[in-house]
Amino acid sequence: SKWNKEIDWNKVKADGVEFAIIRCGYRGSTTGYLVEDPYFRKNIEGARQAGVKVGVYFFTQAVTEVEAVEEASMVTMLCQEYALDYPVFIDTEGAGGKGRAESLSKEDRTKVCAAFCRTIENSGKKSGVYASKNWFEKNLSTEDIAAENIWLAQYSSKATYAGDYQMWQYTSSGTVDGIEGRVDLNLSYKKY
């Protein structure tokens, strides 16, 4: 995302990175505006040219199913010219206690994620949900979301989430040649 600034994707590939999930956009935590990540196009094109497989994610602050469909529609539009190897994930997390979606009930948040995933699937792409172990356990009913791809964030030496997951983000403090600063590192247990 924009937080990683300029990336040398050839160095990233040479450092052994096989895939990247790139943020394509987000909904403003307080304004609710839909925003394209300013580095999205540069990142997805650079990664693909370097031979790094790609997927995308969208940081949601949708408070209704209609807003979730708007978000998924934006993602579909942004990605229409790019081949994706990995799914399109809805990133459902808190926004430091100040986000517009913070007070959603578990049921409503689940409906938002399900609407996003249905819309992505209807566009012909694979969908998924990204969240922390705690968020999955307390704020979502994954059995009510039709997503076949769960991307778990749990920063530890071993994942202890009891549900099914296909990807595991195991640290936010990784290092990768070609990217300045700390980097989230992930394992994929599914061949996409």
Side-chain angles (χ1 to χ4, degrees), residues 59-84:
F59 179 78
T60 184
Q61 282 291 296
V63 295
T64 65
E65 292 173 83
V66 169
E67 286 188 350
V69 170
E70 288 172 351
E71 292 176 353
S73 297
M74 177 183 174
V75 172
T76 299
M77 183 197 70
L78 288 172
C79 295
Q80 67 187 352
E81 63 189 87
Y82 303 111
L84 300 178

Side-chain angles (χ1 to χ4, degrees), residues 105-136:
S105 67
K106 184 175 188 175
E107 179 184 4
D108 287 341
R109 184 170 283 107
T110 298
K111 287 179 181 177
V112 162
C113 290
F116 180 96
C117 290
R118 271 193 314 274
T119 305
I120 294 298
E121 294 284 336
N122 287 342
S123 78
K125 294 177 177 27
K126 298 178 283 273
S127 69
V129 179
Y130 168 87
S132 69
K133 174 184 184 277
N134 184 54
W135 199 263
F136 275 123

